[in-house]
Amino acid sequence: MRPAFSVIFLTTLIGVGQGLFLALFTIETYASVGLLPPQSGAFFGRGSAIAVGFLCAGLVASFFHLGHPERAWRSAAMWRTSWLAREVIALPVATGAIMLYGLVHQLHWNIVVPGIGTQLPDGLSLIVGAGAVAATFVLFLCTGMIYACIRFLQEWATWLTVANYLLFGTASGFVLASAYSAYQSPQLETFLVTWATIITAAALVTRVTSLIRNARIRHRSSLQTAIGVRHARIAQTAQGFMGGSFNTREFFHGASPMLLRSLKWVFLLLVFPVPVLLLWAGVLSHSPVPALAAFIVQYCGLVVERWFFFAQANHPQNLYYQVIS
Amino acid sequence: MTQLALVIDLNVCVGCHACVTSCKEWNTSGEAGFMSDDRPYGVDPTGTFFNRVQTFEVGEFPRTETVHFPKSCLHCEEPPCVPVCPTGASYKRPADGIVLVDYNKCIGCKYCSWACPYGAREIDEHQKVMKKCTLCVDRIYDQTLPEAERKPACVLACPTSARLFGDVYDPDSQVSVAIRESGGYALMPEWGTKPANHYLPRRKTRMKIHDDELMRAANPLKKEGKLPKPALTDPSLDDVTSW
């Protein structure tokens, strides 16, 4: 598949936004039971604003993928069957819930809710936050299933796709939260860096698993099933036209196998070891700069990862477009 | 229940591309148009087509066979492209099973083309909507046309009658009989899309001659040549008498 940069930025940016919110809510729940020092409303408010900013940036990026962005409102219609329509609904719901969560903190709407017996007046924000967590996880599921549900794109059609989207988004969000706390509230940094390391390691496990799976994949379609002729040797001699078409542009990445192989190692390096080392360097040096650098490096790595995710997928229609004339 | 479809006979397709050009000619000015054609005489010509004829070589020289392979939307009975459409622009007509795109609803997200294993859908680079074979839906129901012409343009254009058109749910239709009696098969059956369009395989007509057909089994002397002259009273047969 040809990597679509609008979709690459959509999925990476909303992943950061969702992950950052999950990190904020993790801090709040730990604080509510006294495991972390309580944070000010402005800490959560500003953090949620950053998360909403990333989600909105992702939404804007998604419009560049459409031929008719002015009709985008139609795309929620088929939510019963289409994971894409479900994502179109889940994205604004999650963004709105995170925005509400931020407003509850920023504008001090927090109240004690009977039945939630924490030491802090955080009943309302815990309830709103729990709803936003559910919306965030639904959004991760929708984003992953858009790719995982196409059963003949065998590189994508696995639960590992959903797991990777979930873990990559959460990991990048926790790395950004580490950088945010390094500037705003340094006493949280070790806690967040620990979680960012754990989630990044979990993402490494699922991504390497999917890389191994895809390296060993056996494609079910072949030239024999594509044209229905049973013979060991079939070669295309003409694809029906001399120039290019949508079929030759959309489904081939056009990069050399060498580039593809090297980009795999680039993202494995940029997403996993480098950011973790930078994060711990920031903790040890008590400086916020390495944590910010860790986020930027990991985000660049995720863009490469998403490019590779697209490029590695081998569409069965490519069987019909192998030779120009 | 009706499921209109094409049956393409690979045994007689000669790869002339008449179906390709007649399809484009009809549809570019029809309801499904226009079908863009950029730089047709330039270095990198491109454009939208609903139908392509590809060529494959089966076997290794000198025992090779050329298979011309027309490829268009197969109007699957379980179309994977339809449920993924977020807007409902892509739909399958319950009345006749034709898979169509509503150009006014399509947002051009290309997700349906990802979800088609056959590469039957092509986006129009100018109108920015997804386009595909309509089975000439604006032609096959046109009451102003003579009944014999209410067929897709590609079917009418085919000089070797390699393309048949009809209802595959009707057991007595021309297409159903062809599928049943001439070994019609579906493409990529492994994905369960149940394509309505079928292909008829290449078929060889061979004469099987047994040894006893080359030698006169009824020749009692086991040799060719003049047979002994029978008596005039014997029953005569041109086949066994020598005059």
Side-chain angles (χ1 to χ4, degrees), chain A residues 71 82 146 151 221 233 235 315, chain B residues 57 59 84 106 111 190-191:
Chain A
R71 298 179 188 163
S82 172
I146 285 176
R151 59 188 185 278
S221 289
R233 188 195 170 278
H315 200 288
Chain B
E57 190 178 74
V84 301
C106 178
Y111 192 33
E190 61 272 22
W191 300 118

Side-chain angles (χ1 to χ4, degrees), chain B:
Chain B
M1 288 285 277
T2 306
Q3 171 66 62
L4 298 180
L6 297 172
V7 168
I8 295 161
D9 191 348
L10 299 182
N11 201 35
V12 289
C13 176
V14 292
C16 71
H17 290 249
C19 52
V20 179
T21 50
S22 67
C23 165
K24 185 139 180 164
E25 186 272 336
W26 173 264
N27 284 299
T28 195
S29 43
E31 272 178 24
F34 70 102
M35 292 163 74
S36 60
D37 210 8
D38 297 328
R39 306 178 296 280
Y41 303 104
V43 178
D44 180 27
T46 186
T48 308
F49 287 81
F50 295 168
N51 185 25
R52 308 275 194 186
V53 177
Q54 306 187 321
T55 305
F56 295 88
E57 190 178 74
V58 177
E60 209 152 357
F61 183 81
R63 297 181 60 193
T64 56
E65 191 169 4
T66 300
V67 176
H68 298 293
F69 182 81
K71 180 169 88 72
S72 58
C73 172
L74 305 170
H75 299 280
C76 299
E77 292 180 48
E78 301 284 345
C81 54
V82 168
V84 301
C85 176
T87 69
S90 190
Y91 63 103
K92 185 173 177 69
R93 304 205 325 171
D96 53 16
I98 301 178
V99 178
L100 289 176
V101 179
D102 184 340
Y103 293 173
N104 293 320
K105 281 187 186 170
C106 178
I107 57 172
C109 70
K110 304 179 212 161
Y111 192 33
C112 56
S113 71
W114 296 6
C116 172
Y118 309 101
R121 290 167 167 256
E122 300 186 18
I123 201 157
D124 189 292
E125 300 291 350
H126 299 273
Q127 282 179 290
K128 302 283 185 193
V129 293
M130 196 55 72
K131 298 199 167 178
K132 62 178 286 300
C133 160
T134 66
L135 223 51
C136 285
V137 71
D138 53 346
R139 181 175 181 109
I140 57 179
Y141 295 113
D142 190 348
Q143 301 294 320
T144 62
L145 290 172
E147 190 154 358
E149 286 180 27
R150 289 179 210 159
K151 286 180 178 176
C154 58
V155 175
L156 294 171
C158 183
T160 61
S161 301
R163 302 175 78 94
L164 311 174
F165 168 70
D167 175 14
V168 289
Y169 282 177
D170 173 7
D172 299 322
S173 68
Q174 186 191 19
V175 285
S176 292
V177 171
I179 293 168
R180 200 165 58 236
E181 297 182 356
S182 304
Y185 63 87
L187 304 182
M188 291 190 192
E190 61 272 22
W191 300 118
T193 55
K194 294 167 80 181
N197 282 14
H198 282 70
Y199 287 77
L200 305 184
R202 303 273 292 170
R203 301 183 288 288
K204 289 285 190 306
T205 309
R206 288 199 181 85
M207 192 163 67
K208 179 72 181 168
I209 302 174
H210 297 275
D211 285 347
D212 61 343
E213 291 174 285
L214 290 174
M215 197 172 67
R216 287 192 182 206
N219 184 354
L221 300 178
K222 299 282 188 235
K223 57 181 175 189
E224 302 296 310
K226 266 192 170 180
L227 291 169
K229 188 177 177 183
L232 284 170
T233 51
D234 281 357
S236 95
L237 274 172
D238 285 351
D239 200 20
V240 295
T241 57
S242 56
W243 60 85

